[in-house]
Amino acid sequence: MKFHTNFFYSIFTKSIFIILLILSLALKSQRTITVGGTNWTVTIPSITEAGSNYAGTYESATNQILIGASVPLLLGNGKVSVHYQANPTWNSNLVLSARRTGNGTTACVGCSITGGTTYITVPLATDVELFRITAVLALASYSNIPVQLQLSGVSVAIPAATYNSLVVFTIAAP
């Protein structure tokens, strides 16, 4: 009887050790994000008639930005956020917005990507959530998640200049 008790105790302690090892490895896994695509140059037509104004709103290609992101299984989900930085000049009357136009590709069964399908205003220097990725039974790894940009607020009242911004994406725990 003592042999069986020690035998089961040994299996139990080894099982706990293996589970703790797996948990520690999983907790060291990190969320990752990669951003690709091309620079977007907005072409604003010339005004040819006095008293006219610009259209005011311009959209990039639906896949202007392509995001790759992964979320470890045991951490559950990742929040992809966005903000912009003036690079070097930006006019505060111009409004930059972003939206996710598709899910990209994944081999993860049971994983999901939610939110971000309608335009959200991208703030200066402060992150705002664009979408979330949830891992259920496996590592949630997505590639080529398409993002579209929108520029609004273009007006003849804004001084003529070249305005640039840098759009920054981050991924973190919600």
Side-chain angles (χ1 to χ4, degrees):
M1 183 80 173
K2 197 170 199 177
F3 170 77
H4 292 298
T5 304
N6 287 340
F7 176 75
F8 289 117
Y9 178 77
S10 175
I11 290 176
F12 177 75
T13 56
K14 287 179 183 175
S15 297
I16 294 296
F17 175 76
I18 291 171
I19 290 171
L20 290 175
L21 179 64
I22 291 170
L23 282 174
S24 70
L25 290 173
L27 290 175
K28 288 183 181 178
S29 299
Q30 294 187 6
R31 293 164 185 85
T32 61
I33 189 166
T34 57
V35 180
T38 58
N39 289 335
W40 179 39
T41 302
V42 181
T43 304
I44 300 174
S46 299
I47 292 182
T48 57
E49 193 172 319
S52 295
N53 201 349
Y54 296 108
T57 301
Y58 302 89
E59 292 182 326
S60 72
T62 57
N63 62 347
Q64 189 70 45
I65 298 169
L66 296 172
I67 295 177
S70 63
V71 176
L73 166 66
L74 294 175
L75 294 177
N77 53 48
K79 175 179 73 170
V80 176
S81 300
V82 62
H83 73 271
Y84 79 90
Q85 300 170 349
N87 188 30
T89 307
W90 190 256
N91 186 294
S92 61
N93 292 318
L94 297 173
V95 178
L96 190 60
S97 300
R99 70 179 179 144
R100 178 178 59 84
T101 58
N103 290 339
T105 55
T106 186
C108 181
V109 177
C111 296
S112 64
I113 183 169
T114 57
T117 56
T118 59
Y119 280 114
I120 60 155
T121 301
V122 177
L124 174 66
T126 303
D127 281 335
V128 65
E129 182 176 328
L130 182 60
F131 60 88
R132 284 185 188 220
I133 295 174
T134 303
V136 178
L137 300 173
L139 170 74
S141 182
Y142 284 83
S143 61
N144 296 320
I145 302 167
V147 174
Q148 183 176 30
L149 298 175
Q150 179 186 68
L151 179 67
S152 59
V154 178
S155 168
V156 294
I158 295 175
T162 299
Y163 298 103
N164 292 297
S165 66
L166 177 66
V167 180
V168 179
F169 294 90
T170 57
I171 189 167

